[in-house]
Amino acid sequence: MSEPATWTDPDVIVQAGAGLAAIVAAIVVIVQTILTRKALEEAAKSRATAEAALAVARSEHRNSTFLAIEAVRSRIALNAPSAELHVDEIVDAIYSPSITGLGYAERWPDDYVFHIGDSQRLLMVRAAVTLRNTGPRATRFTLHRAIRLGVWRAEESGRSYLAGTDVGPEDVLLEAGEAFTGYWEVTRPMHEWIEIFEVRSTGGGPGPEAVLEAYVDDGHDTGASYAYRVLLGGAVLKPERPSVRETWVFAGLWNPAVNPDAGVGSGSQPTTVTAWLSKRESVPLPAAVPAVDQPES
């Protein structure tokens, strides 16, 4: 008959050690699980803190950028020029470059009949224009010689008449309230004037329009440029007879009640202001907006 097992029995000791090891292993797994969960929670909290800090930094950067851009815009607005460019009068006549060697454009008789065979002939329209500095300080306007100077002659009776025009200045410096007056001349081949009439008469819109521009630069790389523009459009010619396109006559000035499809008229455009972060690099000033705090979720 065998003796009962005791704690000194090797088999009992092995079994007890195995059980204790299993208990310890389970405790280690539980502890590791708890520590891992805590580590993940801490990591999530750290990530949330980092994201919040990044959001604050981005918001502060947007706000500082907005304030810097607004400061530039305020400086630009404070130094902005002011001017008026307008057409005083369109001369009710049609011209062509001189063929007599006098150097001045020659006026065609008002009743002259142009033939379609002369479609390459250059025909010119002339308008008196004025550029006025309406700002509080002297301003330099770039004109690219587009406003020509009138050349006046005296008749035997002593009366003055406009003999022609000479090349105008590249730019003009106008004091506050000062004005510069000259002539704007628009020249096109005869066939282009005819094409404009055809477009207008078929409801295709106003057709090509010439643009006269006076340009101002404020002198700062981070600054602004300004463009003042007027337009001259319409058809200088109309058919001699409505049903015939072989002969053409001077259409005169545009009059919607008399000849809505023909005649020459003028208009203006709003002043164009371009703000620059860098003119040298051709980088416009961005339209920044202030940061907006997002509501907590």
Side-chain angles (χ1 to χ4, degrees):
M1 185 172 179
S2 60
E3 296 181 358
T6 65
W7 287 105
T8 59
D9 191 325
D11 291 338
V12 172
I13 293 174
V14 170
Q15 291 177 0
L20 181 60
I23 293 173
V24 171
I27 292 173
V28 170
V29 170
I30 292 172
V31 171
Q32 288 179 336
T33 301
I34 294 173
L35 293 177
T36 301
R37 184 181 297 114
K38 287 185 176 181
L40 292 174
E41 291 175 353
E42 292 298 326
K45 290 180 180 178
S46 298
R47 179 179 177 182
T49 302
E51 289 178 347
L54 180 60
V56 170
R58 286 175 174 170
S59 176
E60 291 179 349
H61 175 70
R62 286 196 298 269
N63 277 328
S64 61
T65 301
F66 169 76
L67 292 175
I69 291 175
E70 285 303 296
V72 172
R73 292 190 185 279
S74 296
R75 175 176 59 80
I76 288 174
L78 183 64
N79 297 310
S82 176
E84 293 177 354
L85 176 64
H86 56 87
V87 175
D88 301 322
E89 177 189 15
I90 300 175
V91 180
D92 193 8
I94 188 170
Y95 300 82
S96 279
S98 173
I99 58 176
T100 63
L102 294 177
Y104 301 133
E106 297 182 353
R107 178 171 177 166
W108 289 96
D110 293 342
D111 58 352
Y112 188 85
V113 177
F114 297 91
H115 194 273
I116 192 65
D118 296 327
S119 63
Q120 297 301 320
R121 185 188 300 277
L122 295 178
L123 300 177
M124 184 195 80
V125 176
R126 176 181 289 159
V129 297
T130 295
L131 170 64
R132 184 178 301 279
N133 179 9
T134 57
R137 63 183 65 88
T139 303
R140 185 172 298 278
F141 299 84
T142 299
L143 303 174
H144 301 297
R145 305 187 186 281
I147 299 181
R148 299 174 63 86
L149 302 176
V151 178
W152 296 84
R153 296 281 189 266
E155 298 177 342
E156 293 183 358
S157 62
R159 180 182 178 182
S160 297
Y161 69 97
L162 181 66
T165 62
D166 275 341
V167 176
E170 178 68 22
D171 55 62
V172 292
L173 177 63
L174 300 180
E175 298 294 335
E178 187 179 5
F180 174 72
T181 300
Y183 293 89
W184 177 27
E185 297 177 344
V186 178
T187 303
R188 300 183 188 275
M190 177 179 163
H191 69 86
E192 290 188 10
W193 290 115
I194 292 175
E195 290 168 3
I196 293 173
F197 173 84
E198 298 292 6
V199 168
R200 292 169 66 92
S201 64
T202 56
E209 295 175 316
V211 180
L212 174 64
E213 177 184 282
Y215 174 85
V216 177
D217 187 286
D218 66 3
H220 299 279
D221 182 52
T222 299
S225 55
Y226 307 80
Y228 305 89
R229 300 185 179 99
V230 291
L231 308 175
L232 191 148
V236 73
L237 297 176
K238 64 181 180 180
E240 183 185 20
R241 296 188 297 276
S243 60
V244 179
R245 293 295 191 267
E246 293 296 320
T247 54
W248 297 77
V249 295
F250 178 46
L253 303 182
W254 181 72
N255 185 329
V258 178
N259 53 345
D261 300 328
V264 184
S266 62
S268 61
Q269 290 184 333
T271 302
T272 300
V273 182
T274 305
W276 298 96
L277 182 62
S278 174
K279 294 174 187 172
R280 287 193 298 267
E281 302 296 331
S282 297
V283 179
L285 191 67
V289 295
V292 178
D293 294 335
Q294 299 297 325
E296 294 183 359
S297 58

